[in-house]
Amino acid sequence: MDRCFHNPYEDYRGGAVSVDGSFVRNLINEYVATILLHTNPAKAQRNADKRGDLYVGNAGIAYMFLRLHQSQHDFKELQPLVNAQLYINDAKSKAKQYTQSRSRDERCSFLCGNAGIYCVAAVISSTANNLDEMKKDLEAFETGYEACKPMHFSRYGSDEVLVGRAGYLSGIYWLNKQLMPQPFEDNRISELCQVMINSGRQYSADKGSPFPLMYHYHGTEYLGAAHGLCSILHMMLESPWFKRNGDAPNFTNISKTKLLDIKNSIDGFVALQDHDGNFPCAMEDLSYPNDNPLIHWCHGAPGAVYLLIKAYLVFREEKYLHSCRRAADLIWHYGLLRKGPGICHGVAGNGYVFLIMYRLTGEVKYMHRATKFAEFLKSSEFLQRSRTPDCPFSLYEGLAGTVCFLIDLLEPQRSCFPFMDVF
């Protein structure tokens, strides 16, 4: 495939797998130094970040520093909490500008707007024991709740994860894991999920979709994690509707019609997996197949894995785990992407799949694969021939997300792709 490097490594052949902690720490230090050199808000720079958001802005870098601070390993020399506050304060200053200058509703835009900025700000403020500031940050984030309730608050699509309801819900779930007491009660979460159900049903009926639930973004019926069905369904599975009682599935909190619509949509998606293990980017690809498919978190198998794992954990059906394994095997062969190191469409994002699969299954082969993807980041071929992302220091496109992957490589039992924890 033209989009990836040839994988030069042998697959797992048995035996123990160890992580070279010195190599990983040195790479983290190198990347953080590069990020600080080029983006430090305390210094006036021509190429300084012009956006504050999580996806490519300073809030994403603040999140990286927060992850360093929360790590079980000692990164005090990087001053992670101090830097997290520095970057999030700059992002919040941009959030105010965003509100004035952007036409879309930034209040509920998570990865690419103000909701994500204030979400991460609240946790950083709490971590720094600045409770007054945390309250203000939470209040700013919560303005997105009412903004998300109209079924069609954006004519471009109101449900996906970058700027829609699924993204806002991912922020709620993260806040509820990070803060005590939990800021969002179950009934408020369920209310947004119900709007998302209604939206998917209406669109599916209007367009004659084969899925009970279908959505669009800018007129395209995307299926992947960034813009499409995967993340929307995933965020429904994270809802109070699917709260578990021990290991047994417990569906007493959800009506039979909603349960069937969600599960049948998941099963319809699983049925689209091709013989290689990948998934189409959008429904239109079923009519016009792509000879050079995308194998990214944003589009394709690497992002689909999070929905599939969550479905497996909720429904305990082996077909979902089997689908995950097929996706992971594909990523091993074709996941060393030329686009760079990032987590949206880069080597680290694809390496994350192996960490999550290791955490799920305990199978050492996935840890082997994750270490090899990290090793490739320092290979001469990658350094000489990979592309430079548009935002090379950011959370989703660049080095900040790569640092998160490396942190989790050191502590795989806590690994979590940003804002998509399935456990």
Side-chain angles (χ1 to χ4, degrees):
M1 297 186 182
D2 294 339
R3 302 181 190 277
C4 66
F5 295 101
H6 168 73
N7 187 336
Y9 305 109
E10 276 195 358
D11 205 353
Y12 179 65
R13 298 294 184 186
V17 171
S18 61
V19 175
D20 186 340
S22 178
F23 167 81
V24 175
R25 287 189 68 99
N26 287 340
L27 197 52
I28 289 173
N29 288 335
E30 176 188 328
Y31 287 164
V32 171
T34 302
I35 291 166
L36 286 168
L37 177 66
H38 291 279
T39 68
N40 194 330
K43 300 177 182 178
Q45 296 166 335
R46 287 185 303 170
N47 65 339
D49 168 53
K50 295 180 181 179
R51 286 171 56 172
D53 60 49
L54 285 170
Y55 191 80
V56 295
N58 278 349
I61 298 175
Y63 171 83
M64 176 205 74
F65 278 115
L66 177 65
R67 290 287 302 273
L68 284 166
H69 178 77
Q70 293 175 334
S71 171
Q72 294 176 337
H73 294 258
D74 183 1
F75 291 103
K76 289 180 181 176
E77 73 278 8
L78 300 177
Q79 296 184 289
L81 186 56
V82 170
N83 279 312
Q85 291 174 293
L86 177 67
Y87 277 87
I88 203 63
N89 287 339
D90 184 75
K92 285 199 287 185
S93 72
K94 291 179 169 65
K96 295 174 183 176
Q97 300 169 20
Y98 240 9
T99 302
Q100 301 297 322
S101 64
R102 297 296 293 266
S103 58
R104 73 166 180 247
D105 197 330
E106 294 297 327
R107 294 174 297 169
C108 45
S109 180
F110 187 69
L111 292 185
C112 291
N114 286 357
I117 294 173
Y118 288 113
C119 178
V120 172
V123 177
I124 292 172
S125 296
S126 173
T127 305
N129 203 32
N130 189 343
L131 301 186
D132 289 339
E133 191 67 17
M134 181 196 74
K135 182 179 178 182
K136 293 177 185 176
D137 294 333
L138 274 178
E139 288 172 351
F141 176 79
E142 288 193 24
T143 62
Y145 180 80
E146 292 297 326
C148 281
K149 286 170 67 174
M151 191 185 301
H152 305 299
F153 63 79
S154 168
R155 69 179 184 274
Y156 300 118
S158 303
D159 296 287
E160 52 84 81
V161 79
L162 267 69
V163 300
R165 264 182 291 269
Y168 191 80
L169 281 165
S170 75
I172 288 176
Y173 298 140
W174 186 70
L175 282 171
N176 276 358
K177 288 183 177 180
Q178 295 285 323
L179 300 179
M180 289 296 169
Q182 293 183 338
F184 283 87
E185 297 176 351
D186 286 356
N187 65 315
R188 301 181 74 196
I189 297 170
S190 297
E191 186 175 13
L192 291 189
C193 289
Q194 183 62 56
V195 178
M196 208 150 60
I197 282 273
N198 296 342
S199 174
R201 285 171 171 168
Q202 183 182 87
Y203 182 86
S204 179
D206 290 347
K207 299 298 181 179
S209 171
F211 292 15
L213 304 173
M214 182 50 68
Y215 305 84
H216 79 99
Y217 185 65
H218 283 264
T220 298
E221 295 174 2
Y222 286 108
L223 297 169
H227 292 307
L229 191 65
C230 276
S231 290
I232 296 169
L233 294 174
H234 177 189
M235 294 310 147
M236 289 186 195
L237 293 182
E238 296 286 355
S239 76
W241 293 342
F242 293 94
K243 277 193 172 180
R244 299 187 65 82
N245 181 15
D247 289 334
N250 173 22
F251 304 128
T252 59
N253 297 321
I254 184 172
S255 69
K256 185 175 180 180
T257 54
K258 281 189 287 214
L259 176 63
L260 287 175
D261 281 355
I262 293 169
K263 189 170 189 305
N264 288 340
S265 296
I266 295 171
D267 289 346
F269 174 76
V270 172
L272 298 179
Q273 190 171 29
D274 65 25
H275 65 279
D276 292 322
N278 204 22
F279 293 87
C281 294
M283 290 298 287
E284 64 188 30
D285 293 348
L286 301 180
S287 301
Y288 305 98
N290 188 345
D291 293 333
N292 195 11
L294 299 179
I295 305 175
H296 305 166
W297 169 80
C298 47
H299 301 291
V305 162
Y306 300 95
L307 169 63
L308 297 171
I309 292 177
K310 192 66 189 182
Y312 172 68
L313 293 172
V314 169
F315 299 109
R316 294 296 178 180
E317 295 182 16
E318 287 295 319
K319 65 183 178 183
Y320 301 123
L321 181 58
H322 177 66
S323 183
C324 287
R325 294 187 189 281
R326 294 181 60 211
D329 288 345
L330 169 81
I331 295 162
W332 170 249
H333 291 293
Y334 301 112
L336 293 172
L337 299 178
R338 296 178 182 272
K339 280 194 169 185
I343 62 172
C344 181
H345 37 257
V347 172
N350 287 353
Y352 248 123
V353 170
F354 305 132
L355 289 180
I356 305 304
M357 286 295 289
Y358 175 72
R359 185 175 173 187
L360 176 71
T361 68
E363 294 174 15
V364 181
K365 73 174 181 180
Y366 294 119
M367 198 63 200
H368 167 83
R369 292 176 175 183
T371 61
K372 293 305 177 186
F373 269 46
E375 185 179 322
F376 191 74
L377 293 169
K378 289 296 286 182
S379 70
S380 58
E381 185 175 25
F382 181 78
L383 294 174
Q384 294 170 13
R385 298 177 56 203
S386 64
R387 300 171 194 163
T388 301
D390 293 337
C391 300
F393 316 110
S394 64
L395 180 60
Y396 278 79
E397 290 189 359
L399 294 180
T402 313
V403 168
C404 293
F405 165 67
L406 294 170
I407 295 167
D408 283 347
L409 190 63
L410 292 175
E411 40 200 61
Q413 294 301 340
R414 302 175 74 220
S415 58
C416 168
F417 189 96
F419 311 107
M420 297 193 78
D421 191 1
V422 295
F423 298 102

